[in-house]
Amino acid sequence: MPEKYYLGLDLSTQQLKCTLIDDRHEIVWENAVNFDRDLPEFNTRHGAIVNDNVVTSPTLMWVKALDVLLSHLKETPYIDSIQGISGAGQQHGSVYWNQLGIERLENLNSDQPLAEQLRDAFAIEQSPIWQDASTTEECRALEKLVGGPQELANLTGSKAYERFTGNQISKIYHKNKKAYGKTTRINLVSSFLATLLLGHFAPVDAAEGSGTNMMDIHSHKWNEKLLDHCGGSELKEKLAKEPVEGGTVLGPINEYFVKRYGFSSSCNVLPFTGDNSATLVSMNLSEGDCVISLGTSDTVLVYLKKGAAATTESHLMAHPTDPDGFMGMLCYKNGSLAREYIRDKYADGSWDVFNKYLANKDAMFNDCIGYYYWMQEIIPFAKGIYRFENQKDVEEFNDSAVNVKAIVESQFMSMQIRLQRMGGNTVKRILASGGAATNPNILQLLSNIMGLPVYKQKGMNGASLGGALLAKFALQDKSFEDMMAEFPSSGLELVCEPDLEITKKYGSYASTYTQLENFILNP
């Protein structure tokens, strides 16, 4: 029997990457188009064009990247055995098709590259992306419409954020009426890839819908009051379709790709999701798993079911493979760069000294608590470095080396407290990833504060692998968990377990930690 393959694409900020897997989930081929290096004519830096708070990417660049990637894939022996294609896009970004573009899309000529045929296809040629922070006015107006940030979070899973698609659409609707009037259809970056492959407009998946501030987090349907506010009565028509669940088959790949590249005409296109959702899929999380990524930013991702609660500091998103589940997310700006700043200032710029202080110094247990908002923080919204000794505001600790322990404790206490608020009291284990996850001293402290075992994933998994797994998931009849159990990966390695006496001691400081944080926010 001929081998079957599944293709995952990931249109991220800096590149379009693909991962091809076989039926046993082994990676057989990977490739990527780097926007800055491979498509220099678009003049991007790190894949984007930055103009103060306005951050965009050229829509046509993404189209051209797909041309380039598929021409590489065409040279492989796998292309006519690919059964399905899914994938991911950078969350929140949006694409604005004009009428000519939709007509061209539905009548593609296989003798020409996509980028040539879709050159004049977009009402807005620069797509707003997730780094854009120019919609604060629109955010406040959307929250006011429903009665405040918490009310919007209860309805959509998140309070209003500048990068969320609804607020980006609202800015165009109110301030660029001409372009909005010429817009026939609006895609998210993820559904844009699916649209190109189908040759007709594709809906978003529910996980992506939850990154717009316009979808009801419980029904997974667009909320008409929010749509009307963000884009007037015509926005529903521009979005064209309600969000769909992961595992839905959208339809066969367009004939263009069969003729031009050699895909099988029976190859199906499945819903594309967001990059965080696809990464969650690639890690095969079970209910009760919590991923903590310790990188430039520190991110907490948790698979939640019953009892999931929306807060104004977290994101609650629909789960990409479980219609009844949620993905809870916390995102901290002050991650590794803040830790490196403290290392350089108090530990002679040495991780060895940093680790020695981490192991041998006491901070919280000596009533020394610090808050390290070195850059403007999101959780909570604060900036500056604050220290308290015996609950009194101090310029510096008596023993300044205590800052090393204090910065790590403070971040993990914040995560623990906010995870509980989000409904994360059913978490059973931590999966650590990111640069700082190579440091066993940091992970032991994480384990002790959370009171949970910490595991590390062997090998790197990413959004394009998650996309390939989503493609296979939709084309078979097992649950996602059962499909993954058939071919377990080399999986997880236990790094450390908690000392529960220490966990209990940290728990006794939770209310003091919260009180002092409130003092910083409301002096």
Side-chain angles (χ1 to χ4, degrees):
M1 214 171 116
E3 187 67 83
K4 293 177 176 177
Y5 300 103
Y6 305 91
L7 180 64
L9 301 172
D10 173 29
L11 205 174
S12 69
T13 317
Q14 300 192 49
Q15 61 177 6
L16 175 63
K17 183 184 175 190
C18 79
T19 299
L20 191 67
I21 61 169
D22 63 17
D23 243 335
R24 295 175 299 284
H25 309 169
E26 297 289 338
I27 295 172
V28 296
W29 192 75
E30 287 194 295
N31 202 276
V33 177
N34 179 285
F35 302 139
D36 293 7
R37 183 191 65 223
D38 301 326
L39 301 170
E41 65 271 31
F42 290 100
N43 299 312
T44 58
R45 188 152 183 263
H46 306 307
I49 291 171
V50 180
N51 185 357
D52 196 21
N53 277 340
V54 177
V55 187
T56 59
S57 289
T59 314
L60 198 65
M61 177 179 77
W62 296 336
V63 178
K64 196 163 184 182
L66 186 62
D67 281 328
V68 174
L69 191 70
L70 294 183
S71 64
H72 295 328
L73 182 60
K74 184 183 180 180
E75 303 306 315
T76 72
Y78 311 115
I79 195 159
D80 61 349
S81 302
I82 294 171
Q83 307 296 302
I85 310 175
S86 181
Q90 47 175 298
Q91 266 188 299
H92 317 298
S94 44
V95 171
Y96 300 81
W97 290 92
N98 60 31
Q99 186 57 38
L100 176 70
I102 293 293
E103 287 166 13
R104 291 250 178 98
L105 178 70
E106 290 170 354
N107 296 282
L108 292 170
N109 174 356
S110 62
D111 295 333
Q112 291 183 322
L114 281 175
E116 266 179 43
Q117 299 179 72
L118 299 178
R119 192 171 295 282
D120 304 313
F122 307 107
I124 290 169
E125 294 181 347
Q126 295 288 336
S127 284
I129 63 168
W130 66 275
Q131 290 159 310
D132 187 280
S134 65
T135 63
T136 304
E137 184 187 330
E138 287 76 15
C139 289
R140 299 295 81 80
L142 190 63
E143 288 171 346
K144 189 177 175 191
L145 175 78
V146 295
Q150 184 62 55
E151 286 70 16
L152 188 63
N154 294 342
L155 191 56
T156 70
S158 298
K159 71 174 189 184
Y161 285 90
E162 280 79 0
R163 65 188 187 276
F164 274 44
T165 323
N167 304 305
Q168 294 291 336
I169 292 171
S170 181
K171 177 183 153 187
I172 293 163
Y173 171 62
H174 288 105
K175 294 176 180 167
N176 191 353
K177 285 199 179 296
K178 190 176 175 190
Y180 190 75
K182 287 182 178 171
T183 300
T184 303
R185 293 282 181 269
I186 300 174
N187 271 136
L188 268 66
V189 175
S190 53
S191 64
F192 177 58
L193 276 178
T195 293
L196 291 173
L197 293 166
L198 286 167
H200 59 82
F201 188 79
V204 300
D205 85 324
E208 276 286 79
S210 23
T212 64
N213 276 146
M214 299 188 297
M215 186 190 83
D216 185 309
I217 190 63
H218 303 289
S219 69
H220 297 180
K221 298 273 188 272
W222 298 123
N223 177 290
E224 298 219 4
K225 183 177 178 181
L226 297 174
L227 292 189
D228 282 356
H229 176 86
C230 291
S233 56
E234 62 268 48
L235 180 53
K236 190 167 189 186
E237 195 181 326
K238 293 182 197 293
L239 293 168
K241 298 176 179 181
E242 292 286 353
V244 294
E245 300 301 336
T248 312
V249 176
L250 296 179
I253 194 168
N254 188 270
E255 196 64 20
Y256 170 87
F257 299 96
V258 177
K259 288 179 180 164
R260 187 170 177 85
Y261 296 109
F263 281 95
S264 161
S265 56
S266 61
C267 172
N268 277 303
V269 178
L270 300 314
F272 280 55
T273 192
D275 46 5
N276 284 311
S277 312
T279 302
L280 182 126
V281 166
S282 77
M283 295 182 90
N284 188 25
L285 297 197
S286 309
E287 188 186 354
D289 282 349
C290 175
V291 177
I292 295 184
S293 172
L294 301 170
T296 309
S297 60
D298 286 347
T299 309
V300 180
L301 278 175
V302 60
Y303 181 175
L304 298 169
K305 279 206 166 184
K306 292 183 178 68
T311 77
T312 56
E313 293 183 320
S314 62
H315 303 297
L316 200 59
M317 296 181 161
H319 193 281
T321 62
D322 176 2
D324 301 319
F326 298 95
M327 181 175 80
M329 190 165 108
L330 298 167
C331 191
Y332 296 84
K333 258 194 186 171
N334 287 284
S336 58
L337 299 180
R339 286 186 285 273
E340 285 164 19
Y341 168 75
I342 294 296
R343 175 202 65 190
D344 294 346
K345 189 164 181 183
Y346 298 104
D348 307 329
S350 157
W351 283 119
D352 289 338
V353 176
F354 186 97
N355 286 333
K356 190 176 84 180
Y357 291 162
L358 211 53
N360 300 329
K361 298 281 180 186
D362 268 330
M364 202 167 283
F365 296 164
N366 273 342
D367 289 313
C368 293
I369 299 177
Y371 301 81
Y372 297 83
Y373 313 128
W374 185 55
M375 292 181 285
Q376 175 67 60
E377 187 50 84
I378 317 167
I379 303 175
F381 194 78
K383 190 172 183 191
I385 293 176
Y386 304 87
R387 298 175 185 85
F388 297 89
E389 204 155 339
N390 297 312
Q391 300 191 38
K392 288 190 174 60
D393 193 356
V394 294
E395 192 64 33
E396 182 55 273
F397 296 127
N398 281 329
D399 175 0
S400 64
V402 161
N403 282 283
V404 167
K405 185 79 165 261
I407 188 175
V408 181
E409 282 182 335
S410 186
Q411 189 80 311
F412 295 158
M413 283 292 281
S414 175
M415 289 176 180
Q416 165 69 345
I417 289 163
R418 287 172 167 89
L419 204 49
Q420 300 296 322
R421 288 178 193 163
M422 205 169 30
N425 42 7
T426 54
V427 173
K428 298 183 185 73
R429 61 181 182 178
I430 304 288
L431 278 56
S433 67
T438 55
N439 186 326
N441 301 69
I442 287 178
L443 295 188
Q444 186 61 61
L445 191 51
L446 175 64
S447 182
N448 287 343
I449 290 176
M450 294 288 188
L452 294 165
V454 174
Y455 292 79
K456 262 173 66 181
Q457 193 126 29
K458 292 177 186 170
M460 284 303 291
N461 288 335
S464 56
L465 173 61
L469 291 166
L470 284 171
K472 185 186 175 193
F473 167 60
L475 298 174
Q476 46 90 66
D477 51 11
K478 298 182 180 72
S479 72
F480 188 79
E481 290 74 15
D482 289 347
M483 177 187 95
M484 294 301 281
E486 276 189 296
F487 304 102
S489 64
S490 55
L492 302 170
E493 135 192 33
L494 178 63
V495 185
C496 47
E497 296 197 68
D499 178 329
L500 291 175
E501 283 305 309
I502 295 178
T503 305
K504 199 184 287 182
K505 209 168 168 185
Y506 275 116
S508 70
Y509 281 89
S511 64
T512 304
Y513 179 91
T514 306
Q515 277 167 15
L516 293 175
E517 184 185 78
N518 287 337
F519 173 76
I520 294 166
L521 299 176
N522 307 293

